[in-house]
Amino acid sequence: MNPAPGLIDLTDAIGNTALHFAAQKNDKRMVSMLLDHKPDLAHRRNHRLQSALHVAAFYGSTAAATELLRHSPDAAEMLDKDGRNAVHVAVSSGKVDALRCLLRRVRPAEVVNRGDNVGDTPLHLAAKMARIKSALMLLKDTRVDPCLLNRDGHSARSLVEERVAGGEMDAYVVYLWEKLKKYEALRCKNQQLPPVATYQSLRSRRSGSGNDEYFELSVGTYTLVATLIATVTFAATFTMPGGYNQNSGFAIHADHPAFNIFVVSNTVAMCSSVAVVFCFIWAWRDPVKFNLDHLTWVHILTIIACLAMIISLMTSVYLTVLPTKRWPAYLVIAIGACTPPVVICILGKEAFYIPFVEKPLLPVVANS
């Protein structure tokens, strides 16, 4: 189906074309059809000088952005009224998937290092707005230059220090600061940059924040889960499946292969959960210094403890049911084996990675 020639050029009150709306709705088929019929639509901008790619980046429309860049790769270089390209917009709106899509398909380094009207590159924006995921993604891209200064003479790292000076400091901000400081040290040798603050000087300016509450809630949740696992697995050590032989004192099923699996999995679950509890005892002493690298490892240990506890459950049930009636044990094993895939289906990759806190942004792209 081909759109009518007169209709395809129509705009709404603020200059949005049909392509802008197709990008907003992530309609890849419509984007392709419009660009096949009229390729220059990719370069049409609304009254705020936003192209369809800007809109796709703001709304996280990755399929539409991919199609736009396939038809018009130079659309990534277009600037809005603030002097920002689509990479800037993806960072400021917190759309990590859109940023990932753009970094994969945009080639010129000038695009990812472009300064806006006040000289802020996408990395500056990520630092200024505490977009942790976006900042890490940009830093891992070798084209991104962490040494660039904006018009106020700030690097991305010194902008984070400015946030702290304004009274905002938590584990997430410190984590971002440490990463930026590390990449500056690696890539910005012999370059004139703002002086680096010390952790002690940053900590002295610390005040409470919403992210602090989120972090402390995470610590409390992990500690509770780990304590429960440690308690259950410790109790299982002294109440072995099937009990003990009253004469020898050995476990009744000690010679069964499944018993060895039970002992190992129960020990793994208990030791992993104890490690989590110990780590968070230290975290409460200085939750800011306990950064997200530590939290990620604790998250992994908690997953290991949970998986080991499931295995321990399956083997203990298998050992305690009658050999002539194994079907309850097989059913328990089937349910236990299905638990991790179910969790992964529900949570996706978030089951394995620590979710970062991104501050919400009010919409700036108007539509009719």
Side-chain angles (χ1 to χ4, degrees), residues 11 41 97 124 152 160 235 321:
T11 63
L41 278 178
D97 289 338
H124 281 95
D152 293 327
V160 174
V321 298

Side-chain angles (χ1 to χ4, degrees), residues 79-310:
L79 307 178
D80 63 12
K81 66 181 181 62
D82 297 314
R84 297 178 177 179
N85 57 35
V87 180
H88 286 96
V89 174
V91 170
S92 64
S93 61
K95 297 300 188 294
V96 180
D97 289 338
L99 177 61
R100 183 182 295 109
C101 171
L102 291 169
L103 291 178
R104 285 175 179 171
R105 289 165 177 82
V106 172
R107 294 288 172 251
E110 293 79 8
V111 175
V112 295
N113 290 306
R114 170 84 189 202
D116 62 12
N117 290 346
V118 295
D120 286 336
T121 67
L123 185 60
H124 281 95
L125 280 182
K128 186 180 289 186
M129 305 178 74
R131 302 292 191 198
I132 311 292
K133 288 183 179 180
S134 299
L136 294 179
M137 193 176 297
L138 288 166
L139 287 171
K140 290 176 182 177
D141 192 312
T142 56
R143 296 171 298 172
V144 174
D145 187 357
C147 318
L148 296 175
L149 305 180
N150 64 12
R151 292 186 181 177
D152 293 327
H154 282 296
S155 67
R157 184 261 312 158
S158 65
L159 282 174
V160 174
E161 295 169 356
E162 284 287 304
R163 289 181 69 94
V164 177
E168 180 179 347
M169 182 181 182
D170 53 38
Y172 299 93
V173 173
V174 170
Y175 181 77
L176 176 57
W177 173 69
E178 288 178 342
K179 289 295 183 182
L180 289 166
K181 187 172 64 168
K182 172 186 173 182
Y183 277 90
E184 271 193 8
L186 290 173
R187 300 182 189 176
C188 307
K189 295 177 181 178
N190 302 322
Q191 295 198 38
Q192 196 69 25
L193 295 173
V196 180
T198 63
Y199 172 72
Q200 288 72 22
S201 66
L202 292 178
R203 194 170 187 272
S204 65
R205 308 172 192 172
R206 184 188 179 199
S207 64
S209 74
N211 283 354
D212 261 342
E213 295 174 4
Y214 177 88
F215 183 79
E216 291 174 2
L217 180 61
S218 298
V219 170
T221 302
Y222 280 111
T223 304
L224 175 61
V225 172
T227 303
L228 289 174
I229 294 174
T231 303
V232 170
T233 52
F234 181 79
T237 304
F238 296 98
T239 57
M240 291 291 181
Y244 296 91
N245 188 305
Q246 295 299 321
N247 296 322
S248 65
F250 294 110
I252 292 174
H253 297 295
D255 58 345
H256 198 293
F259 182 81
N260 298 327
I261 298 175
F262 167 80
V263 171
V264 172
S265 60
N266 194 68
T267 302
V268 169
M270 180 178 172
C271 293
S272 298
S273 56
V274 168
V276 171
V277 172
F278 181 82
C279 288
F280 279 131
I281 289 173
W282 185 85
W284 283 115
R285 182 174 63 85
D286 191 350
V288 172
K289 191 66 175 176
F290 188 86
N291 65 39
L292 297 187
D293 282 331
H294 302 139
L295 188 59
T296 301
W297 278 108
V298 168
H299 183 72
I300 293 171
L301 285 174
T302 304
I303 291 176
I304 292 173
C306 290
L307 292 175
M309 188 170 63
I310 291 173

Side-chain angles (χ1 to χ4, degrees), residues 57-72:
F58 179 84
Y59 285 98
S61 303
T62 55
T66 300
E67 195 66 21
L68 282 161
L69 289 171
R70 187 177 72 84
H71 280 80
S72 301

